[in-house]
Amino acid sequence: MTTSLPEPWPDHDRRLAAGATGLLAAFNAAGVLEAGDVHVAARVGDLGGEPDERVLLAVALAVRGVRHGSVCVDLTTVADLAGDLPWPEPAGWVAAVAASPLVAAGVVHLEATLVYLDRYHRLELQVCDDLLTRLDATAPAVDEAALEAALARVRGEHFSPEQERAAVQAVRQTTTVLTGGPGTGKTTTVARMLVLLADQARVRGERLSIALAAPTGKAATRLQEAVLGELTRLDPADRDLVGRPEALTLHRLLGWRPDNTTRFRHDRHNRLKYDLVVVDECSMVELTMMGRLLEAVRPQSRLVLVGDRYQLTPVGAGAVLSDVVTGYEDAVDSPVASLTENHRSTPDIKALAAALREGDPDEVVAVLRRGGPEVEFVETDDPGPALHDDALASALATRHAAEAGDARAALAALDRHRLLCAHREGPYGVRHWNRQVERWLAEATGVPIYGEWYVGRPILVTSNDYALEVYNGETGAAVLGPDGRLRAWVSGSERLRDYAPGRLDAVETMHAMTIHKSQGSQAERVTVLLPDASSRLLTRELFYTAVTRAQEHVRVVGSEAAVRAAVRQQAQRASGLSARLSRAQTTDRHADQRNSGETDGG
């Protein structure tokens, strides 16, 4: 596995810390640390009475790690970031941190070779403890006759034996982690799982209260549409049992607080009311949000976490879904139910996704070169001609529908093609290609685009606005109203909502979007623009996420070197969660063995 090595900051760069000395200065100048990392470490050292520059370097690297998505820093492997630097000898480094007054004061924590900032250490312990408490809880009672009768009703060609086993597993335990790649039928499984659980509640004389949730508005909308669509295939009586659960963003589910960005109305002292909480796209859920969710769900309520472990890790620190799956890989009573059979009739896209999961650069290149009706590889250093036709056709279709005042058609046009970029800035970035598509659109229509808002402007919501009920990840378009004025129509759960454009602050143009922002959404056709092979953002998870947004066709535009670089480079996030979960299982097994031996001996 290769890593993207940092480059030294240019002279007078704002990321250089003036006045830094010793190891902090050397690692800052080399581009490993930024000014903020250095200043935090130096300040913590001053306040805690720690002069050892090795310890201060560990603190700075822990701060840097959080910025890059890690929960902690491993002192034995962190030198892989950049080999040609004065890295402390690992054993002595660990010993210096262990003896530090910062550890004694609880400002930082050392576990084996892992260094944590206090906040993230507490969060990881809390998430681990809450998961273990849920997993150790007594399994819910199951009416076997009712379960078999309900299974007979939901079985069919759209429900494989693998999916049935996963749904039944969720009935028999309080916490379930449902994983699988695109096309493996996670939503189909969830819909039928809801029927089985609602039927068990019926037997008890109760009605199951259900919450569906996802990290972004777009993902929540997709989840609700997919679940309700699957339920239409089933018996009307079973549909009535489930009802029409509304899908919410996690922020909305937990109850946002205007006075606090990391705490919510629902917590350990004010639990959620639902009997069942299903959270989709859990690969996007960072450690902090997972901690808040686990605090808020009632101990006796069921929790189902759904996602694809191979997708991009969250923007924030942590990779909880991946950690849980890894931590329970060898467990006998694992909460993880994995779906592996792909049910989509897209063999070329499936082959490309499988090659990416395996991390085989030769096979990925071979699948791309082999092509087919679903996969296209355009090797070029000049991406414009390869991007032009589909990007312009999508922009024109959206504009024509918007000119006709048809908001639903305009939004449907957005889902027919999506241009995805790894970068926001630069020649391969979203900003550049948004401007380029607008130029193509102006040339094609003969109508110049001068301002931010224009007929057919596709928009992406970039943050939650609870007052307006628009949520991060939702998409929309500027549509001409009957009075000749523009209205911004946004696609939300089950309905479209329109706003005066001036009321929407946190939106950006979406002729192109970043791969990170595309999580939780899909399009019929997807064009993936790969940056230069030297890009630090290129990772296997990024490439896999982009490719798997496509329902029917994916075009990859870039060089073979960029493809190979993306496949070789995996996102590395230091975390102790998977090891904690594994150790807990080992401890439980040993305890069971000891108890068994004591009983036998008695």
Side-chain angles (χ1 to χ4, degrees):
M1 183 185 304
T2 60
T3 56
S4 298
L5 300 180
E7 297 177 357
W9 307 126
D11 291 343
H12 310 296
D13 192 286
R14 61 181 176 79
R15 291 165 292 190
L16 283 171
T21 60
L23 287 176
L24 291 179
F27 281 76
N28 181 213
V32 173
L33 300 176
E34 293 191 5
D37 309 328
V38 173
H39 293 318
V40 169
R43 183 61 173 157
V44 167
D46 287 343
L47 293 174
E50 175 55 82
D52 191 325
E53 62 178 358
R54 295 172 298 173
V55 177
L56 300 183
L57 176 62
V59 174
L61 289 168
V63 176
R64 175 199 185 276
V66 170
R67 282 195 299 104
H68 287 264
S70 290
V71 179
C72 54
V73 59
D74 188 339
L75 298 184
T76 62
T77 62
V78 69
D80 293 341
L81 285 173
D84 191 21
L85 282 171
W87 293 98
E89 185 273 324
W93 199 4
V94 171
V97 174
S100 171
L102 299 179
V103 170
V107 177
V108 297
H109 297 264
L110 177 70
E111 293 197 8
T113 62
L114 303 180
V115 176
Y116 293 81
L117 302 176
D118 178 59
R119 176 174 184 264
Y120 290 92
H121 185 257
R122 287 186 284 110
L123 268 171
E124 186 173 283
L125 287 177
Q126 180 235 309
V127 168
C128 183
D129 289 346
D130 282 347
L131 281 171
L132 291 173
T133 298
R134 292 190 61 82
L135 295 170
D136 289 341
T138 302
V142 176
D143 186 309
E144 299 294 343
L147 175 59
E148 188 53 45
L151 280 171
R153 296 196 301 273
V154 300
R155 285 189 183 113
E157 61 176 331
H158 299 289
F159 197 43
S160 69
E162 180 182 62
Q163 293 169 306
E164 180 176 321
R165 286 192 297 272
V168 170
Q169 182 174 334
V171 173
R172 299 191 185 283
Q173 57 195 25
T174 304
T175 304
T176 303
V177 181
L178 179 65
T179 69
T184 54
K186 296 189 293 296
T187 305
T188 298
T189 305
V190 167
R192 284 156 176 77
M193 179 194 303
L194 298 183
V195 171
L196 301 184
L197 290 169
D199 190 66
Q200 289 288 311
R202 176 194 60 78
V203 172
R204 297 191 299 270
E206 302 169 358
R207 184 171 182 89
L208 191 72
S209 59
I210 302 168
L212 304 178
T216 68
K218 186 66 173 178
T221 299
R222 271 196 62 231
L223 173 63
Q224 179 166 327
E225 290 172 348
V227 167
L228 294 180
E230 286 295 330
L231 289 173
T232 61
R233 302 174 185 262
L234 305 180
D235 186 284
D238 286 326
R239 292 203 302 273
D240 291 340
L241 277 179
V242 174
R244 294 179 65 84
E246 183 183 5
L248 310 169
T249 64
L250 279 172
H251 283 81
R252 190 175 165 203
L253 172 72
L254 296 175
W256 72 287
R257 285 173 48 179
D259 63 325
N260 197 310
T261 58
T262 61
R263 291 286 178 179
F264 298 89
R265 287 191 297 104
H266 291 288
D267 55 19
R268 232 177 270 282
H269 306 291
N270 179 28
R271 304 274 191 170
L272 291 166
K273 64 182 179 180
Y274 301 100
D275 303 314
L276 169 64
V277 177
V278 179
V279 183
D280 196 14
E281 298 290 350
C282 278
S283 64
M284 300 168 65
V285 180
E286 73 274 13
L287 184 69
T288 299
M289 182 59 81
M290 186 61 74
R292 302 300 178 248
L293 173 68
L294 292 171
E295 287 177 339
V297 177
R298 291 182 298 166
Q300 68 271 29
S301 297
R302 295 177 189 264
L303 176 63
V304 180
L305 305 176
V306 186
D308 183 350
R309 65 180 297 195
Y310 295 102
Q311 280 192 24
L312 275 169
T313 44
V315 174
V320 179
L321 179 69
S322 179
D323 283 343
V324 172
V325 175
T326 302
Y328 279 93
E329 275 182 330
D330 301 321
V332 176
D333 297 321
S334 173
V336 179
S338 297
L339 302 177
T340 58
E341 182 183 353
N342 195 310
H343 302 278
R344 289 184 187 167
S345 56
T346 53
D348 300 330
I349 295 176
K350 287 192 289 188
L352 180 56
L356 283 166
R357 285 195 298 270
E358 292 297 320
D360 185 342
D362 292 335
E363 180 61 19
V364 171
V365 171
V367 173
L368 287 171
R369 291 198 191 286
R370 187 164 63 241
E374 303 159 15
V375 172
E376 182 182 354
F377 184 28
V378 181
E379 295 182 73
T380 180
D381 294 326
D382 179 18
L387 305 183
H388 177 275
D389 290 355
D390 272 346
L392 177 57
S394 177
L396 285 171
T398 304
R399 182 181 178 91
H400 292 156
E403 287 175 328
D406 191 338
R408 195 168 297 278
L411 290 169
L414 295 179
D415 290 333
R416 287 199 282 274
H417 176 260
R418 196 66 46 83
L419 170 56
L420 303 181
C421 306
H423 291 191
R424 289 192 61 81
E425 308 292 345
Y428 299 98
V430 164
R431 291 188 189 277
H432 171 80
W433 288 103
N434 271 325
R435 290 193 298 268
Q436 182 59 60
V437 175
E438 287 177 340
R439 283 193 288 269
W440 290 336
L441 183 61
E443 292 169 0
T445 61
V447 180
I449 295 174
Y450 294 114
E452 181 182 33
W453 287 94
Y454 52 88
V455 179
R457 180 196 181 195
I459 58 173
L460 173 70
V461 179
T462 57
S463 69
N464 299 322
D465 187 326
Y466 299 96
L468 293 181
E469 295 188 326
V470 293
Y471 301 101
N472 180 32
E474 291 182 336
T475 57
V479 178
L480 203 60
D483 59 358
R485 297 182 179 181
L486 280 182
R487 299 290 291 179
W489 286 83
V490 178
S491 175
S493 297
E494 287 199 274
R495 65 187 179 93
L496 304 181
R497 305 181 303 276
D498 68 308
Y499 305 91
R503 299 187 68 193
L504 299 178
D505 291 330
V507 296
E508 59 187 36
T509 302
M510 199 192 70
H511 292 296
M513 70 188 305
T514 63
I515 298 170
H516 270 94
K517 289 288 187 182
S518 75
Q519 283 187 277
S521 67
Q522 289 186 324
E524 294 174 12
R525 298 172 61 84
V526 167
T527 299
V528 183
L529 177 60
L530 294 180
D532 187 83
S534 62
S535 169
R536 296 187 196 180
L537 295 181
L538 267 182
T539 64
R540 188 187 309 170
E541 293 84 355
L542 188 87
F543 197 7
Y544 174 85
T545 299
V547 165
T548 54
R549 299 311 88 205
Q551 296 172 303
E552 298 176 6
H553 183 272
V554 60
R555 175 190 293 112
V556 177
V557 179
S559 67
E560 179 183 334
V563 170
R564 291 184 177 276
V567 178
R568 285 193 298 265
Q569 173 66 21
Q570 277 189 281
Q572 296 180 332
R573 294 201 165 192
S575 163
L577 181 58
S578 62
R580 291 182 197 280
L581 295 171
S582 295
R583 285 197 301 271
Q585 296 162 56
T586 302
T587 301
D588 289 345
R589 284 197 297 270
H590 290 169
D592 289 343
Q593 291 166 359
R594 287 195 301 272
N595 293 337
S596 176
E598 290 168 3
T599 303
D600 292 343

